[in-house]
Amino acid sequence: MGKVIVVTSGKGGVGKTTSTANLGTALALLGKSVVLVDADVGLRNLDIVMGLESRVVYTSMDVIEKQCELNKALVRDRRVDGLMLLAASQKNNKDDMQPEQMKAICDKLRTTYDFTLVDSPAGIERGFRNASAGADEAIVVTTPDVSAIRDADRIIGLLQNVEIEPINLVINRFSPQLVGNGSMMDQADVLDILNIDLIGVVPEDSGVITSTNRGIPLVYEDGSPGAQAYMRIARRLTGQRIPIPDLEQKGLFSNILNWFTKNR
Amino acid sequence: MNRSLTGATVQIDLKSPTLNDDEIDYLRSTLREDYDLIVRGVELGDDSVSPPIAAAPTTHTISQMTDAPTTRDGEPSRIVPCTIRSGQIEEFPQGSLIIYGDVNSGGEVRAGGDIVVLGTLRGNACAGTNGRLSAVIIAMDLAPLQLQIGNCVNRSTTNEKPPGYPEIARIGPEDVIVIEKFVKF
């Protein structure tokens, strides 16, 4: 029996879809069977980020309306085995879907695939409720800024209300330079507020923009720091214990200070 | 002035010695005659005392009230065993609230009596919603957006980090909320 994980954030633009695409691809590269479900009905993007937009024939709405079988609606990824996409309908809106219908789809996918990653839309309304309806676990994506963190906090509260557990945190677009000069919150500040388990920190990586435009997830580019971070998170999702590297660049002064406090 | 403080022993902490001896004597006699407060001592220029947020229009804070207000007796209280997150409201008009966790930005706690946060208070807290002006708000780290006691509202004006010790907010002189280092009830 596989796991259904909803990838959500509350705030838009923090990297839910990018994270879903990259984690799904990374899990498939690790040999897992994976299906990505776009729950952003009416504003679908996951097909573009995966480079599969020209192959989408049926959507989850067609499955719900019994226009086609679930298996027929799944789009197979060209680059890696065992990776499928269930696209969202672009012509419907979120109220056309019921949470129970999404749950039924997730329940079916769980029996076949190791991982079902559901890409949630921004917001806390129907779209979010649809996306989380069938989820066993959650990944909350946030960026280290106060507005994203407040929204993540709200989402965590809602996920806890429906007893989705565990809820793991991904800090995205982390900039060691900005933390170093004190203009960005560090990991400890974010965790202090949100108080859930951290599963990974993805550094700011301009490669994300080109990879999105080309429809090739970043994880295919082995050398990029973003790709490495997503691969590590995927390994942690499979149960491997991999430490989270300290991305924070300490200045010379604080290094000296650390040395003194350690050796005191 | 709060009636429940009548007869209390107080210590006057002056952040900076802006009052001369005559003024301090005047303050001492006024406190005794008008408010029945006994001044135990006066400390001058002690910078370790944190100034009230949203600066109370006075240059002093009166701290370390030794007599606990008695209105808490017999009042029910509710323990909340988790963090109050953004968008969540915890309300308890019947008495006091004790939070075993944080109150995050966007979250709100409202109590008829006191509010004690055994964590960081980053959101909004409203104590004494039934109009009880002796209600207090205590947090291990007090970094709220807004505090309300009775109908007296204060908002945070600084982005400074909390000082790292527990603090207590209460209605001080001139009906403004003052924040002090929390020592004990």
Side-chain angles (χ1 to χ4, degrees):
Chain A
M1 206 61 144
K3 275 183 195 170
V4 180
I5 305 176
V6 60
V7 181
T8 185
S9 70
K11 188 175 178 297
V14 298
K16 287 179 295 297
T17 303
T18 308
S19 296
T20 309
N22 279 289
L23 291 177
T25 308
L27 285 165
L29 288 170
L30 293 172
K32 301 291 176 185
S33 61
V34 183
V35 57
L36 306 180
V37 179
D38 193 344
D40 204 346
V41 179
L43 287 170
R44 75 173 189 217
N45 283 138
L46 189 55
D47 53 333
I48 298 181
V49 179
M50 294 299 295
L52 296 172
E53 69 270 33
S54 63
R55 298 181 160 225
V56 175
V57 180
Y58 297 109
T59 66
S60 50
M61 196 55 73
D62 297 318
V63 177
I64 287 166
E65 288 170 350
K66 298 198 166 39
Q67 301 292 312
C68 81
E69 288 294 308
L70 178 56
N71 283 335
K72 214 174 146 194
L74 299 179
V75 182
R76 184 179 296 278
D77 189 90
R78 289 165 286 179
R79 304 179 206 92
V80 56
D81 282 342
L83 180 60
M84 311 294 265
L85 170 74
L86 178 60
S89 164
Q90 186 68 351
K91 55 181 186 262
N92 293 78
N93 67 51
K94 291 167 179 71
D95 294 331
D96 296 336
M97 192 186 267
Q98 305 290 330
E100 300 76 39
Q101 295 169 328
M102 184 57 119
K103 185 173 185 303
I105 290 177
C106 291
D107 287 345
K108 263 189 212 158
L109 293 172
R110 190 190 283 111
T111 59
T112 319
Y113 293 90
D114 297 329
F115 287 93
T116 303
L117 301 186
V118 185
D119 182 23
S120 163
I124 54 171
E125 295 82 17
R126 176 69 80 77
F128 164 72
R129 277 187 284 137
N130 286 343
S132 56
D136 310 310
E137 301 183 5
I139 292 176
V140 171
V141 182
T142 189
T143 51
D145 61 89
V146 282
S147 47
I149 287 169
R150 180 190 276 188
D151 292 0
D153 192 45
R154 178 90 168 104
I155 282 288
I156 293 165
L158 295 173
L159 291 167
Q160 286 175 337
N161 282 348
V162 292
E163 287 167 9
I164 291 179
E165 165 76 31
I167 304 169
N168 285 307
L169 183 70
V170 169
I171 302 177
N172 195 16
R173 307 194 62 177
F174 187 82
S175 166
Q177 289 81 7
L178 289 179
V179 171
N181 67 28
S183 44
M184 186 183 264
M185 276 193 211
D186 64 12
Q187 280 178 39
D189 290 338
V190 177
L191 290 175
D192 191 37
I193 295 172
L194 295 180
N195 199 19
I196 56 172
D197 289 334
L198 181 68
I199 197 167
V201 181
V202 183
E204 174 81 50
D205 189 334
S206 58
V208 168
I209 297 167
T210 38
S211 93
T212 300
N213 288 338
R214 288 161 59 207
I216 305 169
L218 195 63
V219 285
Y220 287 113
E221 287 178 39
D222 290 337
S224 106
Q228 290 171 351
Y230 279 121
M231 284 306 297
R232 282 193 297 268
I233 298 171
R235 286 181 195 279
R236 290 182 197 113
L237 284 174
T238 64
Q240 294 183 34
R241 291 184 160 272
I242 298 170
I244 294 173
D246 189 7
L247 297 173
E248 290 172 28
Q249 277 183 345
K250 299 262 162 50
L252 181 65
F253 179 71
S254 79
N255 275 335
I256 293 170
L257 205 69
N258 269 349
W259 188 85
F260 272 112
T261 41
K262 266 183 206 150
N263 292 283
R264 208 164 39 176
Chain B
M1 188 65 190
N2 196 327
R3 283 293 115 201
S4 65
L5 299 177
T6 302
T9 310
V10 298
Q11 169 138 353
I12 302 177
D13 287 334
L14 295 177
K15 175 133 174 58
S16 53
T18 51
L19 301 184
N20 61 34
D21 286 352
D22 287 344
E23 287 168 323
I24 290 172
D25 278 342
Y26 173 76
L27 186 63
R28 193 190 292 264
S29 63
T30 307
L31 285 174
R32 187 170 52 229
E33 284 160 28
D34 293 352
Y35 298 111
D36 206 16
L37 293 174
I38 299 126
V39 175
R40 195 175 57 185
V42 178
E43 269 186 47
L44 295 171
D46 183 358
D47 281 333
S48 69
V49 177
S50 67
I53 58 162
T58 46
T59 54
H60 63 276
T61 58
I62 297 177
S63 64
Q64 293 182 340
M65 319 248 177
T66 48
D67 287 5
T70 52
T71 42
R72 268 174 213 97
D73 290 353
E75 198 178 69
S77 50
R78 174 191 285 172
I79 290 171
V80 182
C82 58
T83 288
I84 310 293
R85 296 185 181 273
S86 176
Q88 298 176 334
I89 297 182
E90 188 65 42
E91 251 186 313
F92 190 56
Q94 299 89 343
S96 299
L97 267 176
I98 302 160
I99 315 287
Y100 288 3
D102 300 339
V103 177
N104 278 351
S105 169
E108 192 174 336
V109 279
R110 304 175 63 84
D114 303 327
I115 292 171
V116 178
V117 180
L118 296 167
T120 307
L121 173 54
R122 303 184 185 91
N124 293 355
C126 180
T129 51
N130 302 333
R132 207 186 85 193
L133 299 179
S134 62
V136 297
I137 299 168
I138 299 169
M140 294 301 110
D141 284 297
L142 193 64
L145 295 177
Q146 264 181 27
L147 291 178
Q148 188 175 349
I149 297 175
N151 52 7
C152 190
V153 186
N154 253 33
R155 68 180 181 85
S156 155
T157 52
T158 61
N159 281 325
E160 280 169 35
K161 286 201 162 187
Y165 48 73
E167 290 186 296
I168 178 168
R170 67 166 97 231
I171 296 191
E174 305 191 12
D175 288 344
V176 292
I177 296 178
V178 294
I179 293 177
E180 298 148 359
K181 183 173 182 175
F182 175 66
V183 185
K184 61 171 187 166
F185 270 111

